[in-house]
Amino acid sequence: SAGAFARQDAAPKYPDYPSETPASFTPVNADADFERRVVMIPMRDGVKLHTVILVPKNLNGDHAKHAGIVLTRTPYDADALTTHSQSGNFAANLEGYDNPADVIVEDGYIRVVQDVRGKYHSEGDYVMNRPVHGPLNPTPVDDATDTYDTIDWLVKHVPESNGKVGTLGISYDGFEPLMALIHPHPALKVSVPMNPMVDGWMGDDWFHNGAFRQQNLPYIYEQTATRDNSAKWWSNVQDDYDLYLRAGSAGELARQHGMQQLGFWQKMLDHTEYDAFWQDQAVDKLLAKEPLKVPVMLVHSLWDQEDSYGAIAVYKAIKPKDTTGTMVKLVMGPWHHGQEIEDASSLGALKFGSDTGRYFREQVLRPFLAQYLKDGAPKADVAPVTAFQTGTNRWERLSNWPAGCGGSCKVKPTPLYLDAGMKLGFENADDGDSDAYVSDPAHPVPFRARPIQPVGYDAGQTWSQWLVDDQREASGRTDVLTYTSDVLTSPLTIAGQPQVHLTASTTGTDSDWVVKLIDVYPDMVGNQPEMGGYQLAVAMDILRGRYRQGFTESRPIEPNKPLPYTFALPTTNHVFLPGHRIMVQVQSSWFPLYDRNPQTFVPNIMLAKPEDFQKATQKVFHSSYLELPVVASGKGS
Ligand code: PG9
């Protein structure tokens, strides 16, 4: 199969002419400032997990002593995550995904990265985001037990350790520090889930409110086809817009790639609704039922193009358990997915005036980890909520979230109405009328400018920036409704999740609704001309209309009847500055990131047939509004 090397034991032997390659080779680098150990740690069921242990040395070449351990468990190749350089330099080897390298090196931690069960050099069977033991997992092992057993082994077999272990990670690697919180090992002193995968159906990687994020098909293919991800996705088309449109449906494109062989893909096909398969593995729901025993710092990116739901959902679930106010911290930065471990001075066209990633690592993460992992370290002066306010580009220390400011201000839900004349206004001027557009599945609205790249982080890919793309690309289209406010004369501050209250009709029997809350920059921006008139989305999301009455069951939409569609947009912490305008865009496709709604009701959209895809005329009524979490103090001046 792809990637397998030829077996050697069947080859004839020539003792007098041996291979020049030894049976095994041990790398040596006497000048390295760390020692690399690779061990197979036995789990309680006997499966052994491939674990890389990097022990730093001091300038005299002595190994660290009484050092804390910073653990990451990953499905993305522990060897690769600990070898970002071929040098013997500790920092250089860590500089890259998924290491806050400066913090680990500066505070002399032992760095441990492990292949999760079933991936790369670990033994065992792989199950995507392995559900905890229970209705979805009859085995006695899951990522919680594997983390427990790993920590137990580490504190007993790494003599340089001080017996304190912290776990952190981004994305899937952020899901693991949450699993660690279930029946945690006593040596686990702190957990830092960053941009964690929490609820794949509701708002993280697989669906958003039921709309399928089909551009993740390559991820499913590569992540589950082989243990070492050696089977690579193929495409004969440069523009993903063409690739997914020509295939017609996600199911057909998957079939063309042989994905019916893949267990996880089959589960996706079988569970397109928010059924027990998804509900029982929603990590926020699981943790809501667990005692809070380990301090947690949840790290969220305000422009997280992959997991915009997870961190906030977990914060809502566990913060009420934090009776002392010291166990749960939340950090929100102006970042794309995972940008907190990189230089985060800018994102796309946006400039923040400082390296917000470095600020987080040095001023927030470092003291927080030290408090729990370094012997004798002081209590960290970290606020319960550390939030970057976009628009004003400044950090806030808040006592809770959502909070509009550090003081006594209040967040006041405030309706912003979609009015006649494509205007936005805070007065309800409902004239009973509506605005219409034709949604044509043959010409779906691109979610960003074409040609559209696949999802990924390779050189030249800008996937990580798509949430801050200029939305002028869409606002000129006749199948996108664009409502705009007057120019603001004073700052408008929002903090929290805007709530969409759309009243809309369709001539079809199913429909998607995409709503975008946008900050429109002044026509001219002197110190940054390219920002003149920029339409910056501060919150956007999609609702698959068949779930308008509940996520657990698809229901056809009654044609031509104005119906309510209500859903939350992702978290914001933003100031619309004077001279700016507010904009709301509404559309019915977001392609090819999300699969097209055929706009006729079918049992499973992933298996829709070409003839199911029909044009529909959409009407948005002027009783529609967005409820904005306005900070009453009007702060942000
Ligand atoms: N959350 C990221 C991801 C998961 C699944 C599909 C695509 C992306 C990640 O773990 O990198």
Side-chain angles (χ1 to χ4, degrees):
S1 65
F5 293 104
R7 294 185 60 80
Q8 294 305 300
D9 50 16
K13 298 293 179 202
Y14 302 101
D16 55 354
Y17 196 66
S19 168
E20 293 174 354
T21 299
S24 70
F25 174 73
T26 304
V28 172
N29 182 339
D31 298 333
D33 64 353
F34 70 98
E35 180 190 351
R36 179 186 296 268
R37 299 174 196 156
V38 179
V39 296
M40 294 297 283
I41 298 180
M43 299 296 106
R44 60 189 65 182
D45 65 342
V47 162
K48 297 185 185 66
L49 303 188
H50 175 83
T51 310
V52 179
I53 302 169
L54 306 186
V55 182
K57 298 178 185 174
N58 62 25
L59 294 175
N60 302 325
D62 304 326
H63 284 95
K65 291 184 178 56
H66 306 298
I69 290 176
V70 175
L71 166 68
T72 292
R73 306 186 67 251
T74 183
Y76 300 139
D77 190 357
D79 288 347
L81 267 56
T82 54
T83 316
H84 291 293
S85 152
Q86 289 307 319
S87 73
N89 180 278
F90 189 36
N93 275 270
L94 294 180
E95 199 54 58
Y97 183 83
D98 183 12
N99 303 297
D102 37 10
V103 174
I104 292 169
V105 173
E106 286 160 0
D107 277 354
Y109 292 118
I110 296 163
R111 181 60 170 144
V112 178
V113 183
Q114 180 182 69
D115 287 334
V116 299
R117 178 182 291 263
K119 287 307 295 181
Y120 291 94
H121 298 292
S122 280
E123 300 172 350
D125 300 332
Y126 181 61
V127 175
M128 183 79 74
N129 298 102
R130 191 183 185 94
V132 294
H133 168 74
L136 295 175
N137 171 6
T139 75
V141 290
D142 52 35
D143 285 283
T145 63
D146 285 349
T147 303
Y148 187 103
D149 296 346
T150 298
I151 291 174
D152 196 61
W153 189 94
L154 289 171
V155 295
K156 290 174 180 169
H157 294 85
V158 180
E160 298 87 353
S161 155
N162 64 1
K164 298 173 183 174
V165 179
T167 184
L168 55 72
I170 294 170
S171 208
Y172 198 126
D173 297 3
F175 157 82
E176 296 294 343
L178 293 173
M179 289 291 105
L181 299 175
I182 299 172
H183 311 309
H185 190 283
L188 179 66
K189 304 302 181 188
V190 65
S191 170
V192 184
M194 298 191 258
N195 311 102
M197 293 174 80
V198 168
D199 189 326
W201 193 98
M202 200 56 80
D204 286 326
D205 292 283
W206 308 125
F207 301 82
H208 275 209
N209 300 316
F212 178 53
R213 290 163 67 93
Q214 63 181 355
Q215 272 198 298
N216 283 329
L217 282 176
Y219 175 98
I220 297 169
Y221 181 95
E222 297 189 356
Q223 194 61 26
T224 63
T226 62
R227 185 178 293 267
D228 64 356
N229 289 39
S230 53
K232 299 300 180 190
W233 177 264
W234 54 268
S235 170
N236 307 325
V237 183
Q238 188 64 39
D239 184 346
D240 258 16
Y241 187 97
D242 291 326
L243 174 69
Y244 289 85
L245 190 58
R246 290 178 194 170
S249 70
E252 175 54 20
L253 186 61
R255 188 198 61 76
Q256 293 170 4
H257 284 73
M259 290 180 67
Q260 63 280 3
Q261 304 169 72
L262 308 179
F264 181 64
W265 172 243
Q266 195 53 54
K267 289 176 185 175
M268 295 278 270
L269 277 174
D270 295 344
H271 300 283
T272 55
E273 299 174 336
Y274 197 55
D275 59 10
F277 175 76
W278 294 108
Q279 293 180 46
D280 291 352
Q281 63 179 298
V283 181
D284 55 322
K285 294 178 169 62
L286 293 173
L287 292 178
K289 293 181 278 190
E290 291 294 322
L292 183 59
K293 294 181 178 176
V294 176
V296 184
M297 174 179 280
L298 292 156
V299 182
H300 176 70
S301 296
L302 288 165
W303 282 293
D304 190 323
Q305 78 280 3
E306 299 183 19
D307 295 297
S308 58
Y309 180 87
I312 302 298
V314 170
Y315 179 77
K316 291 174 184 173
I318 67 175
K319 184 59 184 175
K321 301 172 186 280
D322 184 9
T323 50
T324 63
T326 62
M327 294 288 281
V328 179
K329 306 282 187 185
L330 174 65
V331 182
M332 295 187 292
W335 306 316
H336 65 63
H337 187 70
Q339 194 179 7
E340 58 270 17
I341 64 168
E342 302 169 11
D343 179 319
S345 310
S346 66
L347 174 55
L350 304 184
K351 299 185 187 329
F352 304 120
S354 64
D355 182 348
T356 60
R358 178 80 177 156
Y359 174 87
F360 158 68
R361 297 191 303 277
E362 278 303 308
Q363 304 301 324
V364 181
L365 178 63
R366 184 173 179 187
F368 183 71
L369 285 178
Q371 173 180 344
Y372 296 102
L373 299 181
K374 286 180 75 69
D375 297 340
K379 182 178 181 308
D381 178 19
V382 172
V385 178
T386 306
F388 193 84
Q389 187 181 64
T390 53
T392 54
N393 285 352
R394 63 188 185 176
W395 286 100
E396 299 176 304
R397 290 173 58 93
L398 304 174
S399 53
N400 58 49
W401 184 260
C405 62
S408 58
C409 58
K410 290 276 180 284
V411 175
K412 183 168 173 274
T414 306
L416 176 67
Y417 293 93
L418 278 56
D419 286 342
M422 306 310 288
K423 297 295 286 178
L424 285 177
F426 287 105
E427 302 303 322
N428 182 353
D430 181 10
D431 59 2
D433 205 346
S434 62
D435 303 299
Y437 60 94
V438 174
S439 172
D440 179 359
H443 302 283
V445 183
F447 82 104
R448 58 184 325 202
R450 296 181 59 183
I452 289 178
Q453 303 169 333
V455 168
Y457 289 85
D458 294 343
Q461 286 192 271
T462 60
W463 157 256
S464 60
Q465 301 170 22
W466 77 265
L467 280 179
V468 294
D469 284 350
D470 193 333
Q471 294 303 316
R472 275 178 284 198
E473 275 299 319
S475 58
R477 289 179 60 107
T478 56
D479 53 0
V480 175
L481 293 182
T482 300
Y483 298 84
T484 311
S485 76
D486 294 335
V487 173
L488 298 174
T489 54
S490 60
L492 181 81
T493 303
I494 61 174
Q497 293 184 250
Q499 302 290 324
V500 173
H501 296 267
L502 213 53
T503 303
S505 69
T506 174
T507 55
T509 51
D510 197 354
S511 181
D512 287 353
W513 302 100
V514 177
V515 176
K516 310 173 186 174
L517 176 63
I518 293 166
D519 182 350
V520 183
Y521 279 60
D523 294 338
M524 299 292 281
V525 178
N527 61 353
Q528 228 191 324
E530 68 275 17
M531 294 304 289
Y534 202 96
Q535 295 176 9
L536 170 69
V538 293
M540 309 192 270
D541 221 333
I542 185 170
L543 169 70
R544 183 138 287 176
R546 57 174 47 205
Y547 300 116
R548 68 178 190 79
Q549 293 171 300
F551 294 126
T552 56
E553 189 183 344
S554 319
R555 293 179 177 87
I557 297 174
E558 184 179 340
N560 302 308
K561 181 176 181 184
L563 296 170
Y565 295 90
T566 303
F567 58 105
L569 297 182
T571 291
T572 65
N573 190 37
H574 187 75
V575 179
F576 293 86
L577 295 171
H580 290 229
R581 287 177 292 154
I582 308 170
M583 177 181 281
V584 170
Q585 291 182 0
V586 181
Q587 61 197 58
S588 289
S589 50
W590 219 7
F591 191 79
L593 175 57
Y594 291 91
D595 61 346
R596 296 175 302 155
N597 192 313
Q599 300 179 148
T600 57
F601 187 82
V602 294
N604 185 337
I605 288 179
M606 289 185 182
L607 304 175
K609 297 285 173 265
E611 59 271 20
D612 296 325
F613 290 86
Q614 302 292 332
K615 286 184 190 178
T617 297
Q618 317 289 69
K619 286 186 179 177
V620 171
F621 290 79
H622 295 156
S623 49
S624 303
Y625 63 96
L626 262 65
E627 185 181 85
L628 300 186
V630 173
V631 177
S633 71
K635 156 181 89 64
S637 46

